[in-house]
């Protein structure tokens, strides 16, 4: 004989099932230590991420839809899915290169995922995860300009790059004879390059690839990378529990295929391959 559950008992069963579907349900409370950044984000229900808005293929705000697209955006959504249960529970905040450390220390964002190269100077101000991506610095020039084939051809030329980026330091080391025009964001460099006011734009190759894709006939990538840039996620200084949790996620994505899918759907659309960009799985 089958007994019907009472109304109150039935409601309790339904509530228990629904609770188990939540990120913190059915024993998941213990997954994040009490008081940790992970627990605070889970309880808030939204991950706040600093990201670029002007870098196609990494962090780009579509002017028509307002959606943030790119590899960094997809990585951020994977973090949001882990911490809150859904990749939709995310708020992106535009973060230009020179403001990344300030946005982290002032708690404007929970973390920064914005083509953020790991350097000793920056590591004194923020804590980085393991690298989730590797880039090489390169040059973007006008298609019709046949004078520039590499960094050795930049003497006497004007090169545009962004303040607060590692590209500035490498250019000063590699091309002492070039004149640098340092601006707030790479999107400022593109019209200057197209108009002929500057001779080249230099930063990480995959960023340049995205900018070139917007002007495929007018601009070309030189294709001779110099230097190697490891990108990390930046969190507040000495938040080691959060860093370690994110490192575990990176390792899981590299082994489980999520990293490859994020690359395929963003940078890979350009025809680029991930051989030199993908960190080794641990």
């Amino acid at each position: 004989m089958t007994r019907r559950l009472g109304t109150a008992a039935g409601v309790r069963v339904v509530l228990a099932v629904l609770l188990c579907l939540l990120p913190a349900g059915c024993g998941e409370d213990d997954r994040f230590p009490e008081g940790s950044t992970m627990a605070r984000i889970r309880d808030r229900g939204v991950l706040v991420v600093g990201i670029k808005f002007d870098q196609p293929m990494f962090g780009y705000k579509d002017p028509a839809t307002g959606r943030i697209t790119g590899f960094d955006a997809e990585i951020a959504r994977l973090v949001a899915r882990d911490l809150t249960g859904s990749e939709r529970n995310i708020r992106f905040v535009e973060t230009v290169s020179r403001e990344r450390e300030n946005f982290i220390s002032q708690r404007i964002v929970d973390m920064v995922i914005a083509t953020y190269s790991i350097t000793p100077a920056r590591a004194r101000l923020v804590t980085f995860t393991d690298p989730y991506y590797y880039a090489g610095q390169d040059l973007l020039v006008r298609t019709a300009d046949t004078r520039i084939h590499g960094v050795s051809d930049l003497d006497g030329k004007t090169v545009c790059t962004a303040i607060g980026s590692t590209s500035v330091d490498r250019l000063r080391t590699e091309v002492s004879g070039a004149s640098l025009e340092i601006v707030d964001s790479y999107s400022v460099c593109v019209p200057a390059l197209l108009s002929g006011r500057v001779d080249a734009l230099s930063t990480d190759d995959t960023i340049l690839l995205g900018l070139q894709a917007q002007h495929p006939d007018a601009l070309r990538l030189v294709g001779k990378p110099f230097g190697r840039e490891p990108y990390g996620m930046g969190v507040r200084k000495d938040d080691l529990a959060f860093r370690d949790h994110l490192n575990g996620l990176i390792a899981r994505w590299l082994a489980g295929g999520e990293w490859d899918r994020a690359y395929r759907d963003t940078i890979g659309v350009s025809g680029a391959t991930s051989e030199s960009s993908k960190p080794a799985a641990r």
Side-chain angles (χ1 to χ4, degrees), residues 53-128:
F53 277 12
D54 66 342
Q55 292 184 359
M57 298 188 190
F58 275 90
Y60 181 71
K61 185 174 183 178
D62 188 311
T65 66
R67 180 174 172 79
I68 311 302
T69 61
F71 184 74
D72 281 350
E74 292 309 302
I75 292 296
R77 290 186 175 104
L78 288 174
V79 176
R81 188 175 70 186
D82 174 78
L83 297 181
T84 73
S86 172
E87 66 176 30
R88 296 182 179 180
N89 298 331
I90 192 167
R91 181 165 67 89
F92 290 112
V93 176
E94 184 176 17
T95 310
V96 298
S97 294
R98 61 186 171 86
E99 291 292 350
R100 288 177 292 201
E101 291 81 18
N102 291 334
F103 276 36
I104 294 170
S105 63
Q106 295 172 14
R107 297 178 180 265
I108 295 172
V109 298
D110 296 315
M111 61 190 305
V112 165
I113 308 178
T115 59
Y116 204 1
S117 297
I118 302 169
T119 69
R122 291 171 178 169
R124 289 194 287 269
L125 302 174
V126 302
T127 289
F128 282 104

Side-chain angles (χ1 to χ4, degrees), residues 15 42 130 137 224 246:
L15 288 176
R42 178 202 62 202
D130 292 336
Q137 189 167 341
K224 293 183 179 179
L246 293 171

Side-chain angles (χ1 to χ4, degrees), residues 74-258:
E74 292 309 302
I75 292 296
R77 290 186 175 104
L78 288 174
V79 176
R81 188 175 70 186
D82 174 78
L83 297 181
T84 73
S86 172
E87 66 176 30
R88 296 182 179 180
N89 298 331
I90 192 167
R91 181 165 67 89
F92 290 112
V93 176
E94 184 176 17
T95 310
V96 298
S97 294
R98 61 186 171 86
E99 291 292 350
R100 288 177 292 201
E101 291 81 18
N102 291 334
F103 276 36
I104 294 170
S105 63
Q106 295 172 14
R107 297 178 180 265
I108 295 172
V109 298
D110 296 315
M111 61 190 305
V112 165
I113 308 178
T115 59
Y116 204 1
S117 297
I118 302 169
T119 69
R122 291 171 178 169
R124 289 194 287 269
L125 302 174
V126 302
T127 289
F128 282 104
T129 64
D130 292 336
Y132 68 91
Y133 188 90
Y134 285 96
Q137 189 167 341
D138 209 329
L139 302 170
L140 191 67
V141 300
R142 289 182 296 280
T143 302
D145 188 344
T146 59
R147 301 169 301 165
I148 301 175
H149 304 283
V151 291
S152 61
D153 300 316
L154 293 178
D155 282 356
K157 307 294 192 301
T158 301
V159 184
C160 192
T161 192
I163 190 171
S165 69
T166 55
S167 303
V168 176
D169 295 333
R170 184 170 289 113
L171 284 169
R172 284 174 174 155
T173 301
E174 298 276 348
V175 287
S176 57
S179 174
L180 300 185
E181 180 158 333
I182 304 171
V183 298
D184 283 338
S185 66
Y186 299 113
S187 59
V188 177
C189 293
V190 174
L193 179 58
L194 290 169
S195 69
R197 191 163 59 80
V198 302
D199 300 298
L201 192 170
S202 185
T203 186
D204 300 340
D205 50 6
T206 39
I207 297 174
L208 295 178
L209 193 61
L211 297 173
Q212 189 269 340
Q214 296 182 319
H215 306 276
D217 297 325
L219 301 176
R220 65 178 175 88
L221 189 66
V222 169
K224 293 183 179 179
F226 53 102
R228 196 168 189 237
E229 296 287 340
Y231 290 169
M233 306 179 202
V235 302
R236 279 183 285 281
K237 183 66 177 173
D238 295 328
D239 192 346
L240 304 186
F242 194 21
R243 178 205 63 188
D244 292 346
H245 182 78
L246 293 171
N247 282 343
L249 292 180
I250 294 169
R252 188 194 310 170
W253 300 333
L254 289 169
E258 290 90 345

